[in-house]
Structures are given as structure tokens and as C-alpha cells.
Amino acid sequence: MPGLNASRSARPPVPVIVVAGFLGSGKTTLLNHLLRSAGAGGTRLGVLVNDFGSVNIDALLVSAQADGAVSLSNGCMCCTVDADGLADALTSLVRPSARIDAIVIEASGIAEPKSLIRMVTAVPDPRLRYGGLVYVVDAAHIGALREEHPEVDAHIAIADLILVNKADLISDEELRIVEGVVAQLNPTAAAMVTQDARIDPALLFDIDESAAADEPRSGQLTLDELLLEDRDHSDHEHLHAGYEAVTFSSDEPLDPRRLARFLERPPSGCFRIKGIVHFDLPRYRQKFVVHGVGGFVRVHRESWEAQAPSTELVAIGRGLDPDAVTAELRAAIARPEDAADEHGILSVLRHVPA
């Protein structure tokens, strides 16, 4: 999509994705999968965990370690962190020299998911943006877990993406029951059935495959990259098939108030919204770059330069209704009477970092 990816010298805000789930649900498996997939594609991932020993470091061939931070030979970085050091760790990871493309935080042992989300969104650094709460559910034990720890229901209810993991350990009938429970607890979040927490990282963040060509990496390949070289593309295609992307384009300007409503109240099943937006307003003719996840919206402005003003938006999720998404965005196209709404732009500007 033209205009969506900023150059590596003018990097867009780094998404911070929070991963939560009860012990044994598959959070560490997900983290290792993301590290393997991101590193092999050239994306640099920062991971904040409180129990670093549980991450499969040997398989990632650590190249250096100091002060609780571990640099991996694939360009990724892992850190141990507590609640007090979260803001400092995030700020450190987005320093230019780290060149991190996305950050994943494991919630277990640090804070309750809701508290951690507040902490992430409170970090006053325009180089960061909240990337959503991913909750991993152990499909084989969710019934017993909810009885013993009823607070899990509230955690699932605020998730933006739910992974119904370990689906291979239960029957199809039992899986349908688990999916029904998840849908009842959170009817609007995107939910995906997984084995070994395997999802396409592109669902969570943009894969920067150009990075491998733009910058030379260490000549040392990770074990996982060696394994990936011998693997065909059927696995990636299977992962990619797990979610949908609905694209919307328009040469006509949008109404900021109706667009803000779409971003703040995303369609059912939508995990991410990203794109560029054109508003035909006298004082606001810049390109508006938007990112939305779970009602959290981040907007920054850029110059159109030689590009003709237009709107290009993508909604990414699971179980999306493409016609409904497109219809809602078409309804956001500006009408002549919208010109009288002089304060409508404030609904978008409030999401621009100070």
C-alpha cells in the first residue's frame, strides 16, 4: 500500500503488543514463534519478559548479554523487566540504534493485563504506540481454570485478539464449546484457533522484509533460520489463511468525526486498522497516518509530497464482514453539509501525540 511504510530514517511509531494468559497456556511458545518468524523475515523484535529463563534462548543463539538485555544474532532483543522498569525499558528499546520494529511484553508476573495496558499507554514517548492485548487460552483446561480463577473471564473480556491454543488436544465438539465460551465472554474480539500458538506475525505487526536487504546482519544464522530454509511455503500460507484483511480506497476526502468513530469502535472481529487518510479541510490538508487496535488510536501527520491525496485503509482481523466494513467506511466519505462541522477534526487530532 503506497505511503503506509515510512522510510527507515523516519520510522513510524513502534507497536507494543501485550501477551497475557495463564501459566501453561502457550505464551512463551508464542514469543519464541514470533522471534523465529520475525527474525527470519528481517523484522527486529523486542521482547520484555519477567522470567527470561523460560524463553528458548539456546535455539536463538544468543550473541551477547548485559544488564538484563540479551541481543540475538537475528537482530532481535530480549530484556528482563519489572513493573517499575517498564517505561525505561520501552524507551530504551525505541532508541534509534536498537532499530526495533515491534515490542512484545509478556504480562505474566509483571501486572494484571488491564494495569499493564494502562502503563504502556501512559508512556509519554511518541515513538511508541499501543499494539493491543493478545490473550492466550489453553483450550484443554479453560473450564477448570475459570472455576479456580474466575478473574480470567475479565482478562478475556478486554482482549483484542484471543488465541484458542492447544486445539489439537481436544475433540472438535469440545473445541466448539470453548469457542462459544470465548465468544460469550468477548463477542467483538478477533479469535483464532491455534496449535503451538502459531500465528502469522503480520497479524500483530508489519513484517519489514526489506530490512534484511537494506542492512547487513551478522553472518551467523540462527538455528531456526536454518530450519526455515528447508521448509516450504505451505506453512506460511496456512498461517496467513487464519485471518482476513479488508482494504478500502477512496479519492474522495473523509469526514473526520465519522472516521474517528470507526477507529474507536472497530468492527467485530477486527484486530488492527492502519492506513492513510485524506481530509479536505483548509487547515488540515496533510496526510494523516492512522493506527487503531481495540479502540486505541494513534495518528500522526506527514506531507503528501508528490503523492495525490487519497485514502487507503486496511482492517485486519478474524471473522470480519467485508461488506459491513466497506459500507461503514463508505459512510465516512465527506458530504457537503460536513463543511459546517468546524470542530469535527478534533475527534482525530486528539489522537495525535502532543
Side-chain angles (χ1 to χ4, degrees), residues 93-151:
L93 283 175
V94 292
R95 68 187 188 275
S97 60
R99 306 194 73 80
I100 294 296
D101 297 299
I103 299 171
V104 179
I105 303 176
E106 181 181 351
S108 177
I110 300 178
E112 286 292 301
K114 186 177 294 185
S115 300
L116 189 53
I117 291 169
R118 291 197 192 101
M119 293 166 65
V120 171
T121 56
V123 177
D125 193 325
R127 298 171 298 177
L128 295 165
R129 66 175 177 85
Y130 176 60
L133 171 63
V134 180
Y135 199 87
V136 186
V137 171
D138 181 345
H141 299 98
I142 185 174
L145 175 64
R146 293 180 65 214
E147 289 184 9
E148 187 174 355
H149 299 279
E151 66 272 16

Side-chain angles (χ1 to χ4, degrees), residues 114-195:
K114 186 177 294 185
S115 300
L116 189 53
I117 291 169
R118 291 197 192 101
M119 293 166 65
V120 171
T121 56
V123 177
D125 193 325
R127 298 171 298 177
L128 295 165
R129 66 175 177 85
Y130 176 60
L133 171 63
V134 180
Y135 199 87
V136 186
V137 171
D138 181 345
H141 299 98
I142 185 174
L145 175 64
R146 293 180 65 214
E147 289 184 9
E148 187 174 355
H149 299 279
E151 66 272 16
V152 166
D153 288 3
H155 297 169
I156 295 174
I158 64 171
D160 303 301
L161 173 65
I162 302 167
L163 302 188
V164 181
N165 195 34
K166 302 186 179 182
D168 53 318
L169 302 183
I170 60 177
S171 67
D172 292 343
E173 182 179 353
E174 290 172 320
L175 178 59
R176 285 193 294 271
I177 294 174
V178 173
E179 288 182 289
V181 169
V182 168
Q184 184 178 13
L185 294 173
N186 190 331
T188 60
M192 296 186 65
V193 175
T194 60
Q195 299 179 20

Side-chain angles (χ1 to χ4, degrees), residues 256-258 260-261 264 343-351:
R257 195 180 295 276
R258 289 196 294 275
R261 190 178 303 119
E264 294 166 1
H343 300 301
I345 190 63
L346 297 179
S347 59
V348 170
L349 293 181
R350 67 178 178 171
H351 298 297

Side-chain angles (χ1 to χ4, degrees), residues 175-259:
L175 178 59
R176 285 193 294 271
I177 294 174
V178 173
E179 288 182 289
V181 169
V182 168
Q184 184 178 13
L185 294 173
N186 190 331
T188 60
M192 296 186 65
V193 175
T194 60
Q195 299 179 20
D196 299 320
R198 296 176 60 81
I199 62 172
D200 191 334
L203 178 58
L204 306 182
F205 48 82
D206 294 333
I207 298 295
D208 191 358
E209 297 181 355
S210 65
D214 291 346
E215 302 170 6
R217 294 193 298 165
S218 166
Q220 179 188 33
L221 284 175
T222 66
L223 173 62
D224 300 293
E225 288 176 299
L226 292 172
L227 294 174
L228 283 170
E229 285 185 350
D230 295 330
R231 192 178 297 171
D232 61 26
H233 296 291
S234 60
D235 182 56
H236 173 74
E237 291 172 356
H238 172 72
L239 292 173
H240 185 76
Y243 63 91
E244 302 89 23
V246 180
T247 302
F248 173 80
S249 302
S250 176
D251 292 330
E252 300 179 81
L254 299 192
D255 171 64
R257 195 180 295 276
R258 289 196 294 275
L259 175 70

